[in-house]
Amino acid sequence: DADVTQTPRNRITKTGKRIMLECSQTKGHDRMYWYRQDPGLGLRLIYYSFDVKDINKGEISDGYSVSRQAQAKFSLSLESAIPNQTALYFCATAVSGANVLTFGAGSRLTVL
Amino acid sequence: EDKVVQSPLSLVVHEGDTVTLNCSYEVTNFRSLLWYKQEKKAPTFLFMLTSSGIEKKSGRLSSILDKKELFSILNITATQTGDSAIYLCAVEASMVLSGGYNKLIFGAGTRLAVHP
């Protein structure tokens, strides 16, 4: 089993729909992150969490929300999806104080 | 504004060739530079570099950092088809706010295709 598991792996939805991407990890890491990847752009940080009671906005948080349900679970929600949220989304984890990320396999979201 | 620029954006080579991927950066409060390999799944960690001139090596891959000229290179010798991937460079920068978070700035990646 993967250390960082993302579901769904692929999703096609329509504008205005609510979407949740889920991430779970077995690494025991405190820190969890959500990034999006667009062609020609680097990975950009959406939200990050250092523990269950800690949620922080990243550089592109508008239109997104997150929930840290447990140390091992971090979900990303799009309350009302729009086409420019079409992207590849990665969840990542890290040990406190470390900068090396462990990534999930990605969730490809298409908003029509 | 902090930025990380990778070049070339894409590269096609034949098996056995040697390739050099470049990563230049302009980042305030530099802490480290990291390389990842992204195949059709999770990006996987390759190297972390913090000091100039010290080569990190793993098999056919090696990397070095130049903190004076603000760049790093990733070399792959005797390339194989399994080296085909996107190679991501990320620079870690210290941030003053939000307890313990050091910002990671990613480049757009270099897409490497190795043909038989």
Side-chain angles (χ1 to χ4, degrees):
Chain A
D1 286 346
D3 293 325
V4 181
T5 302
Q6 293 184 229
T7 56
R9 293 292 314 279
N10 288 283
R11 181 74 184 268
I12 300 173
T13 191
K14 293 182 178 180
T15 297
K17 294 292 187 182
R18 184 178 188 274
I19 295 297
M20 179 180 287
L21 306 180
E22 299 187 354
C23 177
S24 63
Q25 52 121 342
T26 58
K27 300 285 290 185
H29 290 170
D30 292 326
R31 300 186 175 191
M32 298 188 75
Y33 305 79
W34 276 104
Y35 285 89
R36 70 175 276 176
Q37 186 179 41
D38 299 276
L41 298 177
L43 288 164
R44 293 181 292 166
L45 183 64
I46 306 171
Y47 271 96
Y48 62 102
S49 169
F50 284 178
D51 64 41
V52 175
K53 297 183 180 179
D54 177 76
I55 300 288
N56 301 281
K57 292 182 178 181
E59 54 185 308
I60 54 163
S61 60
D62 287 350
Y64 302 94
S65 62
V66 291
S67 174
R68 184 84 183 263
Q69 301 95 324
Q71 190 211 29
K73 296 183 181 295
F74 192 37
S75 59
L76 175 72
S77 293
L78 289 68
E79 295 300 325
S80 180
I82 56 177
N84 75 2
Q85 292 177 313
T86 293
L88 182 58
Y89 290 85
F90 284 104
C91 175
T93 71
V95 176
S96 292
N99 56 5
V100 177
L101 300 177
T102 300
F103 284 91
S107 295
R108 185 169 295 281
L109 176 65
T110 302
V111 183
L112 302 177
Chain B
E1 182 181 342
D2 294 333
K3 64 179 180 180
V4 176
V5 178
Q6 293 187 243
S7 62
L9 292 181
S10 66
L11 189 57
V12 180
V13 300
H14 289 96
E15 274 191 319
D17 289 349
T18 294
V19 298
T20 299
L21 310 183
N22 302 287
C23 176
S24 63
Y25 62 91
E26 293 178 26
V27 171
T28 305
N29 298 323
F30 174 93
R31 283 179 56 91
S32 66
L33 185 145
L34 301 98
W35 285 96
Y36 287 85
K37 178 182 182 183
Q38 182 182 1
E39 299 173 90
K40 292 182 179 179
K41 48 186 178 181
T44 53
F45 171 74
L46 294 175
F47 299 112
M48 182 176 71
L49 303 153
T50 56
S51 301
S52 282
I54 299 175
E55 185 182 55
K56 293 283 184 87
K57 195 171 173 65
S58 176
R60 295 176 294 101
L61 277 66
S62 63
S63 184
I64 199 162
L65 174 67
D66 185 329
K67 291 170 71 174
K68 181 179 177 184
E69 299 298 329
L70 308 183
F71 76 93
S72 173
I73 60 172
L74 175 67
N75 278 320
I76 308 175
T77 60
T79 53
Q80 302 172 357
T81 55
D83 296 325
S84 297
I86 298 172
Y87 290 84
L88 301 173
C89 172
V91 173
E92 182 193 17
S94 296
M95 288 189 70
V96 181
L97 47 81
S98 63
Y101 172 63
N102 291 323
K103 182 180 179 182
L104 269 180
I105 306 111
F106 282 85
T110 293
R111 183 181 295 273
L112 174 65
V114 182
H115 292 174

